[in-house]
């Protein structure tokens, strides 16, 4: 049985809606990969995320997590243990009245022993720098602090597949970098599979593979370098490229000899040095 | 319309175990027609500060003076203040409550007692400003939209009131890149056309650098700096130490300078970087 999330010919239609939110999506997310999903508002990213762990089931087609079909009710418990989501709006997933209880909720539900839970909760709060807020009611926190609580929750749960829907949207620049480096560490050191949905192109650059969605379909798939060198195509569907990639693109247009696929500041420095 | 914040301190739930000093002695002068960016780490007090500017929160001590009037004095009509000072919340869901998008955006203008056709006119205009198609979206429930679509509806609801001061708490969170540029562009144009005062709370140094005239920086409840982007972004170490950053292209220019290249480092947007690099490259006989 393959260790992967496999999406085969999936369509999804919301009950009240006349249109398909997802149209014939096919994807394979292998265990241990770090995938970024980008796409315009309403393109189906969050819907797809909720299908990954069986919160929604496909209207058509099939999704399996490590071979377990999400349509089979008997599998749901096992699937939820394997795949956890941090939702787009942290307000909607706060369940407890005290921060540390909220973070403990996931592992408790998985039947993790109390000592182990204590350890995981402390660690998770340490990672997101919320230790001093452990005893506070989550609803009294600022927007970015709530988002950190939600991230701590999934870190404490430690599922094999970690799905994060815009986890850094309300964080300050340093906090955003910290979350991305935590995600990379979970991926590289603990072998966790990461699916990161984001509107920040600089974050998508960090992934092994980028999936681009538009109007309910997967329209591009490739390494960050392959995807972001297609500046015109991305802009046409309402997306963007990192600032340095954009700058490289413009300078090429002005006749400077610069590679098309620059992704980072250091690569750009390397390209520009011989010219300045 | 000008706003003056004088010695503002705000303590949440004083005298309880959850007491939290969110603002400490903040002073801020916002002149009529200015465009401010408000930045600071998560929990630094930005949302708390702006909710004082239209009387949603009351100071523990200190004063808020809007157009010469201390808004927390007895007898001040806060409803009137809130018509003039429009606030888009950090969580748009908190602002949405009607069963259709049309009703939701119309709520404010209706409450102003405007005639029906003027209300519809404003709803159309506001939805257009945020990049939504009136005919496609008017009948939909605001709660059955994607995150970015909801945010656009919430912004439209405030724009439909045509406020004199527009305060936006992280308005581009959750918007795709085009939506982000469109909304920021609309805000810039709106301001030029109607000469309104704008305060933009944001974690995007790139967005802030692109459009504001002045930046105020919050850190642990205090306003630790205010000035032009040039002044504020000058000190990157200090910014990094309080959770903030400078735009990506500014990093690039600093690295080039460190390599001994003859480039200016007070460059904050892609356009400025393009011009500066071309200047330097042409000086070396390239391009
Ligand atoms: N509860 C719902 N009922 C009906 N339609 C919905 C519901 N939630 C989302 N939709 C619609 O389904 C489509 C996909 O929405 P989804 O939330 O997956 O988009 P997204 O890519 O996550 O967008 P965003 O970047 O704005 O978060 C959109 O057209 C949206 O309006
Ligand atoms: N209703 C409340 N009751 C008690 N404390 C609160 C409440 N709201 C906010 N706080 C606390 O006040 C401080 C300032 O919060 P505020 O929401 O103003 O921050 P912010 O700068 O807007 O942060 P963010 O960037 O995360 O939105 C934080 O430490 C927060 O925990
Ligand atoms: Mg979404
Ligand atoms: Mg806030």
């Amino acid at each position: 049985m393959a260790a992967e999330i496999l999406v085969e010919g999936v369509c999804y239609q919301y009950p009240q809606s006349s249109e398909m939110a997802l149209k014939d999506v096919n994807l394979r997310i292998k265990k241990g990969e770090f995938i970024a999903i980008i796409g315009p508002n309403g393109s189906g990213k969050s819907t797809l995320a909720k299908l990954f762990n069986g919160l929604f089931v496909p209207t058509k087609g099939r999704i399996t997590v490590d071979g377990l079909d999400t349509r089979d009710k008997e599998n749901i418990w096992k699937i939820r243990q394997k795949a956890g989501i941090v939702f787009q709006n942290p307000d909607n997933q706060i369940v407890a009245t005290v921060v540390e209880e909220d973070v403990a909720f996931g592992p408790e539900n998985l039947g993790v022993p109390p000592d182990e839970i204590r350890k995981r909760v402390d660690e998770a709060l340490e990672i997101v720098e919320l230790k001093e807020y452990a005893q506070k009611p989550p609803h009294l926190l600022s927007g970015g602090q709530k988002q950190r609580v939600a991230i701590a929750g999934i870190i404490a749960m430690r599922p094999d597949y970690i799905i994060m829907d815009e986890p850094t949207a309300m964080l300050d620049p340093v906090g955003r970098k910290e979350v991305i480096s935590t995600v990379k560490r979970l991926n590289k050191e603990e072998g966790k599979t990461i699916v990161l949905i984001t509107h920040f192109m600089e974050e998508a650059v960090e992934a092994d593979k980028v999936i681009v969605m538009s109007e309910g379909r997967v329209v591009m798939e490739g390494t960050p370098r392959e995807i972001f060198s297609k500046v015109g195509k991305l802009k046409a569907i309402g997306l963007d490229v990192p600032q340095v990639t954009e700058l490289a693109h413009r300078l090429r247009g002005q006749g400077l000899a610069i590679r098309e696929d620059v992704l980072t500041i250091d690569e750009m420095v390397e390209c520009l040095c011989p010219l300045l | 319309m000008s706003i003056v914040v004088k010695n503002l301190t705000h303590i949440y739930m004083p005298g309880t175990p959850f007491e939290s000093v969110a603002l400490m002695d903040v002073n801020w002068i916002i002149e009529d027609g200015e465009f401010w960016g408000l930045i600071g780490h998560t929990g630094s007090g930005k949302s708390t500060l702006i909710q004082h500017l239209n009387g949603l929160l009351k100071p523990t001590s200190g004063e808020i003076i809007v157009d010469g009037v201390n808004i927390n004095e007895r007898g001040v009509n806060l409803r009137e203040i809130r018509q003039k000072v429009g606030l888009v919340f950090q969580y748009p869901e908190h602002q949405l409550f009607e069963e259709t998008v049309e009703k939701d955006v119309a709520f404010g203008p209706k409450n102003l007692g405007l005639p029906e056709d003027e209300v519809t006119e404003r709803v159309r205009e506001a939805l257009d400003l945020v990049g939504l198609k009136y005919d496609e979206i008017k009948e939909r429930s605001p709660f059955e939209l994607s995150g970015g679509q909801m945010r656009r509806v919430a912004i439209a609801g405030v724009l439909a009131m045509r406020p004199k001061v527009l305060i936006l708490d992280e308005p581009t969170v959750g918007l795709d890149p085009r939506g982000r540029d469109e909304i920021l562009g609309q805000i810039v144009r709106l301001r030029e056309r109607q000469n309104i005062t704008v305060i933009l709370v944001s974690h995007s140094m790139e967005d802030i650098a692109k459009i504001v005239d002045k930046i105020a920086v919050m850190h642990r409840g205090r306003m630790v700096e205010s000035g032009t982007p040039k002044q504020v972004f000058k000190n990157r170490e200090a910014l990094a130490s309080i959770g903030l950053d400078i735009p990506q292209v500014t990093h690039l220019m600093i690295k080039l300078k460190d390599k001994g290249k003859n480039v200016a480092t007070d460059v904050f947007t892609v356009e400025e970087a393009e011009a500066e690099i071309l200047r330097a490259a042409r000086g070396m006989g390239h391009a």
Side-chain angles (χ1 to χ4, degrees), chain A residues 141-176:
Chain A
L141 300 182
S142 79
Q145 289 165 340
K146 282 182 202 166
Q147 205 159 30
R148 286 165 187 256
V149 173
I151 293 167
I154 200 112
I155 292 175
M157 233 174 106
R158 299 191 186 162
D160 291 342
Y161 298 92
I162 299 180
I163 299 149
M164 298 177 137
D165 197 352
E166 303 190 33
T168 64
M170 292 199 186
L171 300 187
D172 56 57
V174 170
R176 210 183 296 156

Side-chain angles (χ1 to χ4, degrees), chain A residues 41 89 172 177 235-236 266, chain B residues 42 93 174 176 178 245 255:
Chain A
N41 292 138
N89 181 348
D172 56 57
K177 280 187 193 149
K235 292 209 164 178
D266 289 335
Chain B
T42 59
E93 299 83 335
D176 56 50
R178 181 187 290 158
D245 203 351
K255 284 206 168 168

Side-chain angles (χ1 to χ4, degrees), chain A residues 20-38:
Chain A
M20 291 279 181
L22 293 176
K23 300 165 191 158
D24 191 25
V25 174
N26 293 282
L27 276 180
R28 166 171 292 172
I29 296 168
K30 291 198 215 96
K31 199 158 181 186
E33 276 187 317
F34 175 6
I35 308 271
I37 303 182
I38 60 177

Side-chain angles (χ1 to χ4, degrees), chain B residues 216-232:
Chain B
V217 186
M218 296 297 296
H219 175 55
R220 292 182 173 260
R222 293 176 190 271
M223 191 171 283
V224 291
E225 197 169 354
S226 70
T228 62
K230 217 170 251 191
Q231 290 164 341
V232 171

